[in-house]
Amino acid sequence: MKLPYSAHKRTWSVEAWFSSVSLKRKITMLIVFVTLIAVSLTYVAFMVYDNRVAKEQLVIRMTTLAELIGDNCVASLSFMDSEDAIRTLSSLDAERDIEEAALWDAKGGIFASYQKKQGGRVPTLLPDGHYFADKYLTVTRTVILNGEAVGHILIRTNLNQLASRQRQYGLIATLLSLIALGIAAILASKYQAVISKPIVSLAKVARSVSEQRDYSLRAEKLGNDEVGYLIDSFNNMLAEIQQRDTDLLSAQAALSDRAKELQLELLERQRAERATAAMRTFLQNVIDSMPSMLIAVDTAGRVTQWNSQAERVTGVSRDEALARQLSDVFPFFEASIGAIEAAIATNEAQKRERVHTEVEGESRVRDIVIYPLITDTSQGAVIRVDDVTDRTRMEELMTQTEKMMSVGGLAAGMAHEINNPLGIILQSAQNIKRRVSKSIPKNVEVAQRINVSLEELSTYMKERGIYDFLQDIDEAGKRAAAIVSNMLNFSRKSETDRSSFNIESLLDTAVQLAANDYDLKKKFDFRGIRIVRDYAPNMPPVPCIATKLEQVFLNLLKNAAHALADSHSGDQPQITLRTRVAKKQARIEIEDNGPGMSAEIRRRIFEPFFTTKEVGTGTGLGLSVSYFIIVDNHHGTIEVESEPNQGARFVITLPFSGE
Amino acid sequence: MRASRKSHLMRLALACLLTMFLGAALPTRAEEGPTEYQIKAAFLVNFANFTTWPDSAYFDATAPLVIGVLGEDPFNGYLDAAESKTIASDRRMHIVRGKTLGDLPVCHILFIGASEEKNLPGYVEQLSGRAVLTIGDTPDACRDGAMICFFSEANKIRFRVNLEVIEKSPLRLDPRVLKLGRALEGGQK
């Protein structure tokens, strides 16, 4: 079986065990241990000493005995009376432990001997002295009479008495030692308290202090020794700690009050900061929500504010723009630097309206307002840039619409008034032609009656070109009637025949009509023009009056064809037809790559009778009629986008809803 | 004290040598062991050692112990060796010889030889109450009033003591000697 590592490694040591024992037991054990050592040493010393003393005593006793016996034998020796000597020696029978004795005369001859046990051998003579050997003590003395050696005596005793005495004393000593140990243990356990009690009570107090954290406790002082001093020191320390605790508590309370105040302050500040941040965010959001570009610059022209609209328009992010030169970030402002400086210098707002710029091929119109910005810390300018392209266009459109409507109303009223006299003129011219005709009997009858030959009259009129005049009157009258008829359309609300039609098929029909409507006199060949169709897929049908829309498309195609005919650029003439779906509206574009037109012409192009063509080439009403058809009849819009030499694009939008 | 003991030992050794020399030189009746008077001479010296005389028995502190041999001297010169010895009281021994008591100075030990056996009672009477140790050479001497008398027993020299006489004298005999000596048997008081 293998022991676990820890158990295997664990070694029992006295020091470790002893250090874990309580003080009381420690003192008790120490005292008992010391007593044990002392008693043991005493025991051993006593036994050794007693052994020696006993031996010495034995030697002295035996020597004395030998001398006594010897003395008793002096006369025997002197008078050579060995029997008497033997009798004397035999008196040693009384001595239990004496085994044998012998007497020699002065010459060393054996004189008398005594043996307790029979069969013993006569011992050999030894010089004076005592000899411990083999559990026996042998003592020899010279017997002296009157200063002369008269013989030698030997006494040999066993050591039984010594041993028994040793045993007895050993027993007694052991008993005494045990008693002493017992008494020591009892006394130690009783009186260890003298030492341990103050320490234990101190330890108890110390434990209470450490467990309860009650520094008001005090250890009881029981004496003026070192422990007493220790207890005094401990109590002083406790008092000091208590004092410190009290101080600490008050300091803590003060600190906690201060902390609360600070926390309140902090909360207040945080609230204020949040409010500020919210306000800042709110302001930034406000600024960002502005459809205008809002840009702030400092006096050196560096960007300090750049809102979302500015990011959108310029494509430069706020982070990129900040602290850079405005003209670097957005070259558009190069022309306005002077104005910015002027605003800062004069402290007056500077305005630049309707600034035209070309952005990615698209003409944009912007209003720039530069406000001087004076704050506590800095100076600069805030620049507001509004893209007014759409608004400008709308304004133009509105103006045009109003103009067109007033002109249309005027023209329609005029046409209405002209229509009657024109009818009379045409009627009359028709009548003149009819009244000189031979095929009408009434004319023949009246001619015969006044005796005029109708053939001669006809010849005359032919000769004088009267028929040609009449023909001219008729033609001009008819043209005027057509114009009037068109003009009347300006104000006529025709709601008939409105139903949904496919815009693409209407466009295709218009292209076919235009292709057939070539005119030698007008010098253009529609078939030489490339027609590009760019139709949106899934274009829903548009509610409209088909013939009217066809007429509009035809007008625009013819207009484009005329423009292309006038073009002298080498490009292949091309008309692009484009349809798109946009915001619940159908968007139709008719675009040519012809010479284009100036802004002057563009603004007036839909006005009645406005034409760039030579007199007689057009009525000047085609685009006006188209305008009214789209705007008035179909509630749509028609615009033209064009620049000189850039072609022209007519854009029509028609609502899908029909209203 | 120690030096004196040493000198005693030296003398003892010397005595031994002398005894051996004499023993070898002089003719002996028995080849083994000393002769009868050799032993008796030694015994005389021994008695001197075991007996205490009152100070008044001596003329002064340095006065020798005088051994008187009355009658025919049987010691054959063996006693002379005693002259070289001292006794316990550190006195020298001096041997004097005489045919009658009147021939002798005041003795401390008076050896009355067999030749003066018949005169012994008179001498004893004369010396009664005096500090003189009277020693008879015959076994009956004690009966006649001698303090000590020699006799032979089992081929050994033994002696009797006449306690009555001794008690009357100012002499003190060592009890150990008294123990060795055969008390006078018979009608002795």
Side-chain angles (χ1 to χ4, degrees):
Chain A
M1 194 172 86
K2 203 171 181 181
L3 282 168
Y5 178 70
S6 61
H8 182 71
K9 197 191 176 185
R10 201 179 96 187
T11 53
W12 190 87
S13 82
V14 177
E15 287 84 356
W17 169 79
F18 192 71
S19 67
S20 69
V21 168
S22 79
L23 186 65
K24 289 176 174 184
R25 287 190 63 192
K26 234 179 254 182
I27 292 171
T28 308
M29 286 188 322
L30 206 62
I31 291 173
V32 172
F33 181 68
V34 167
T35 311
L36 179 70
I37 297 287
V39 165
S40 301
L41 283 175
T42 311
Y43 175 86
V44 170
F46 172 75
M47 290 308 288
V48 168
Y49 175 75
D50 181 66
N51 192 29
R52 263 192 67 183
V53 165
K55 278 181 172 175
E56 277 174 14
Q57 280 177 354
L58 188 64
V59 168
I60 289 168
R61 203 160 65 83
M62 284 303 131
T63 308
T64 310
L65 194 62
E67 280 173 356
L68 188 66
I69 300 293
D71 201 43
N72 278 337
C73 291
V74 165
S76 311
L77 281 165
S78 297
F79 295 98
M80 296 178 222
D81 191 343
S82 58
E83 287 87 350
D84 186 66
I86 287 168
R87 271 198 305 279
T88 308
L89 290 182
S90 297
S91 70
L92 288 172
D93 253 342
E95 291 287 337
R96 199 183 52 202
D97 291 330
I98 293 176
E99 300 270 342
E100 54 192 12
L103 205 59
W104 290 267
D105 60 24
K107 292 171 189 161
I110 188 73
F111 183 71
S113 75
Y114 158 80
Q115 266 131 9
K116 186 156 277 168
K117 291 170 198 157
Q118 292 301 316
R121 191 173 55 85
V122 175
T124 47
L125 180 56
L126 293 165
D128 280 9
H130 59 270
Y131 309 93
F132 281 100
D134 198 21
K135 293 179 181 176
Y136 292 100
L137 169 62
T138 308
V139 176
T140 56
R141 306 298 294 176
T142 305
V143 183
I144 292 167
L145 173 66
N146 193 23
E148 286 180 18
V150 292
H152 303 279
I153 186 162
L154 174 146
I155 293 176
R156 179 166 289 166
T157 178
N158 62 30
L159 301 177
N160 290 347
Q161 209 180 344
L162 205 63
S164 80
R165 175 192 154 117
Q166 200 90 34
R167 270 198 303 276
Q168 254 176 355
Y169 277 38
L171 198 66
I172 289 165
T174 308
L175 225 73
L176 284 174
S177 300
L178 286 177
I179 288 166
L181 267 184
I183 289 169
I186 289 163
L187 290 180
S189 68
K190 194 173 174 186
Y191 291 108
Q192 50 79 22
V194 172
I195 297 168
S196 69
K197 193 184 170 190
I199 297 173
V200 168
S201 81
L202 177 64
K204 203 178 289 175
V205 172
R207 191 181 305 138
S208 298
V209 167
S210 74
E211 277 173 0
Q212 299 163 16
R213 304 245 167 260
D214 183 359
Y215 296 108
S216 65
L217 293 174
R218 290 292 179 274
E220 190 191 352
K221 189 182 175 187
L222 293 168
N224 283 319
D225 55 358
E226 290 87 340
V227 177
Y229 180 70
L230 182 66
I231 286 168
D232 275 345
S233 302
F234 180 68
N235 284 341
N236 286 344
M237 193 179 73
L238 282 181
E240 215 163 288
I241 290 172
Q242 193 180 11
Q243 182 59 41
R244 246 178 246 177
D245 248 15
T246 314
D247 294 350
L248 198 64
L249 274 177
S250 59
Q252 223 166 15
L255 202 64
S256 122
D257 288 350
R258 181 77 192 111
K260 270 177 201 160
E261 283 171 28
L262 280 175
Q263 207 163 13
L264 284 175
E265 274 176 32
L266 189 67
L267 279 173
E268 199 61 39
R269 194 173 299 167
Q270 278 174 344
R271 198 176 297 141
E273 274 174 11
R274 272 203 297 277
T276 309
M279 180 55 74
R280 193 182 299 134
T281 310
F282 177 70
L283 286 176
Q284 187 64 49
N285 285 342
V286 168
I287 290 169
D288 284 344
S289 307
M290 291 288 137
S292 310
M293 286 169 70
L294 284 173
I295 299 162
V297 293
D298 59 14
T299 48
R302 287 191 294 264
V303 175
T304 55
Q305 169 68 30
W306 192 261
N307 76 343
S308 301
Q309 183 64 20
E311 288 183 333
R312 274 196 291 279
V313 171
T314 60
V316 178
S317 76
R318 191 197 306 270
D319 293 339
E320 287 172 305
L322 286 174
R324 282 174 65 190
Q325 282 293 328
L326 179 59
S327 52
D328 293 345
V329 182
F330 197 29
F332 164 73
F333 284 106
E334 267 175 47
S336 305
I337 288 169
I340 293 167
E341 286 167 353
I344 294 169
T346 60
N347 203 20
E348 283 175 8
Q350 303 286 319
K351 282 188 184 178
R352 296 182 71 216
E353 292 183 328
R354 300 292 190 271
V355 179
H356 285 267
T357 42
E358 197 72 24
V359 180
E360 293 168 1
E362 196 180 353
S363 173
R364 307 301 293 180
V365 182
R366 293 191 172 105
D367 282 356
I368 302 170
V369 189
I370 301 159
Y371 303 97
L373 175 70
I374 299 169
T375 64
D376 298 342
T377 52
S378 63
Q379 209 177 1
V382 177
I383 303 161
R384 197 185 88 198
V385 181
D386 290 313
D387 189 326
V388 293
T389 309
D390 292 340
R391 201 179 74 200
T392 308
R393 187 182 297 153
M394 282 305 291
E395 279 173 6
E396 281 176 4
L397 211 60
M398 289 293 287
T399 312
Q400 182 139 356
T401 306
E402 274 175 26
K403 191 170 70 184
M404 290 296 285
M405 286 306 148
S406 62
V407 169
L410 183 69
M414 208 169 74
H416 194 74
E417 291 304 320
I418 287 168
N419 209 17
N420 286 334
L422 189 60
I424 291 167
I425 289 167
L426 278 171
Q427 192 75 40
S428 298
Q430 190 67 34
N431 280 343
I432 290 168
K433 274 167 82 177
R434 278 177 59 182
R435 297 267 171 111
V436 291
S437 169
K438 292 179 279 187
S439 56
I440 296 170
K442 185 79 181 272
N443 291 352
V444 176
E445 190 191 319
V446 171
Q448 279 174 350
R449 195 171 38 93
I450 61 169
N451 202 15
V452 175
S453 169
L454 280 177
E455 285 82 8
E456 287 172 355
L457 181 66
S458 179
T459 306
Y460 173 81
M461 285 173 74
K462 197 178 273 181
E463 284 295 320
R464 287 303 293 165
I466 290 171
Y467 283 118
D468 290 336
F469 290 134
L470 282 174
Q471 188 63 35
D472 286 347
I473 288 169
D474 190 50
E475 280 180 11
K478 278 180 180 169
R479 253 180 69 202
I483 290 166
V484 166
S485 169
N486 278 334
M487 283 166 71
L488 281 173
N489 278 338
F490 290 174
S491 59
R492 185 178 298 149
K493 303 276 189 210
S494 174
E495 298 298 327
T496 56
D497 298 334
R498 180 172 293 226
S499 57
S500 292
F501 287 95
N502 191 338
I503 292 294
E504 282 92 359
S505 64
L506 292 180
L507 279 169
D508 290 344
T509 305
V511 169
Q512 280 177 7
L513 286 173
N516 290 322
D517 185 31
Y518 61 92
D519 188 340
L520 284 174
K521 196 167 72 179
K522 288 174 185 171
K523 295 186 290 181
F524 72 85
D525 188 358
F526 197 81
R527 288 160 294 190
I529 297 168
R530 187 160 67 135
I531 303 296
V532 177
R533 291 179 175 82
D534 176 12
Y535 294 162
N538 305 321
M539 171 69 86
V542 177
C544 61
I545 303 159
T547 51
K548 296 271 183 187
L549 272 190
E550 275 175 16
Q551 188 187 345
V552 170
F553 296 152
L554 184 61
N555 280 340
L556 291 175
L557 285 169
K558 281 160 83 174
N559 194 60
H562 281 298
L564 288 169
D566 293 342
S567 174
H568 302 292
S569 71
D571 292 346
Q572 160 85 36
Q574 176 176 312
I575 294 174
T576 305
L577 303 175
R578 191 177 290 122
T579 63
R580 290 287 183 270
V581 179
K583 298 178 190 170
K584 296 181 180 178
Q585 285 182 326
R587 180 186 168 97
I588 303 120
E589 292 179 6
I590 296 164
E591 187 181 313
D592 65 63
N593 60 349
M597 63 193 87
S598 67
E600 185 67 21
I601 294 169
R602 199 174 65 225
R603 271 197 292 279
R604 300 188 60 191
I605 194 156
F606 293 112
E607 287 177 20
F609 310 113
F610 177 79
T611 181
T612 57
K613 297 164 188 162
E614 295 163 30
V615 176
T617 329
T619 60
L621 283 177
L623 288 179
S624 298
V625 169
S626 300
Y627 181 91
F628 282 107
I629 288 170
I630 295 300
V631 176
D632 215 23
N633 290 354
H634 290 88
H635 308 292
T637 62
I638 180 164
E639 288 175 83
V640 63
E641 296 169 1
S642 178
E643 293 288 327
N645 300 318
Q646 298 288 318
R649 183 197 306 161
F650 285 85
V651 180
I652 298 165
T653 63
L654 291 169
F656 287 119
S657 64
E659 279 303 317
Chain B
M1 186 71 183
R2 196 171 173 84
S4 69
R5 177 168 289 178
K6 216 168 201 175
S7 65
H8 286 314
L9 285 171
M10 290 286 282
R11 281 185 199 145
L12 181 68
L14 207 66
C16 287
L17 279 170
L18 189 68
T19 313
M20 282 165 75
F21 177 73
L22 288 174
L26 295 170
T28 51
R29 277 178 285 180
E31 281 303 313
E32 66 286 343
T35 61
E36 181 186 348
Y37 283 95
Q38 221 176 337
I39 292 169
K40 282 179 179 173
F43 277 23
L44 282 184
V45 174
N46 282 346
F47 283 130
N49 273 322
F50 283 102
T51 306
T52 312
W53 279 266
D55 289 343
S56 59
Y58 296 104
F59 174 73
D60 60 13
T62 59
L65 182 113
V66 180
I67 300 171
V69 180
L70 203 59
E72 222 173 298
D73 186 358
F75 291 108
N76 198 22
Y78 289 127
L79 193 58
D80 294 342
E83 288 216 307
S84 62
K85 293 182 181 175
T86 55
I87 58 164
S89 53
D90 209 18
R91 292 175 191 276
R92 298 184 61 82
M93 283 186 281
H94 181 63
I95 313 299
V96 290
R97 294 179 184 82
K99 294 297 175 194
T100 63
L101 193 60
D103 296 342
L104 294 173
V106 178
C107 299
H108 296 93
I109 295 171
L110 184 66
F111 180 78
I112 302 152
S115 60
E116 292 294 317
E117 195 180 3
K118 56 190 185 293
N119 295 325
L120 192 137
Y123 295 148
V124 168
E125 186 67 39
Q126 205 176 332
L127 295 172
S128 175
R130 308 279 292 274
V132 177
L133 187 66
T134 51
I135 300 169
D137 198 21
T138 55
D140 295 333
C142 283
R143 213 177 345 148
D144 293 337
M147 288 175 183
I148 291 166
C149 54
F150 289 114
F151 68 95
S152 285
E153 188 184 74
N155 214 17
K156 282 184 178 173
I157 308 298
R158 292 284 180 242
F159 60 89
R160 284 198 182 88
V161 287
N162 190 335
L163 291 174
E164 193 180 348
V165 179
I166 292 168
E167 274 172 24
K168 282 175 182 166
S169 74
L171 298 177
R172 287 289 167 270
L173 252 74
D174 194 294
R176 288 171 295 185
V177 177
L178 297 178
K179 189 175 59 123
L180 290 178
R182 299 284 193 278
L184 184 68
E185 325 115 352
Q188 290 297 328
K189 292 176 272 186

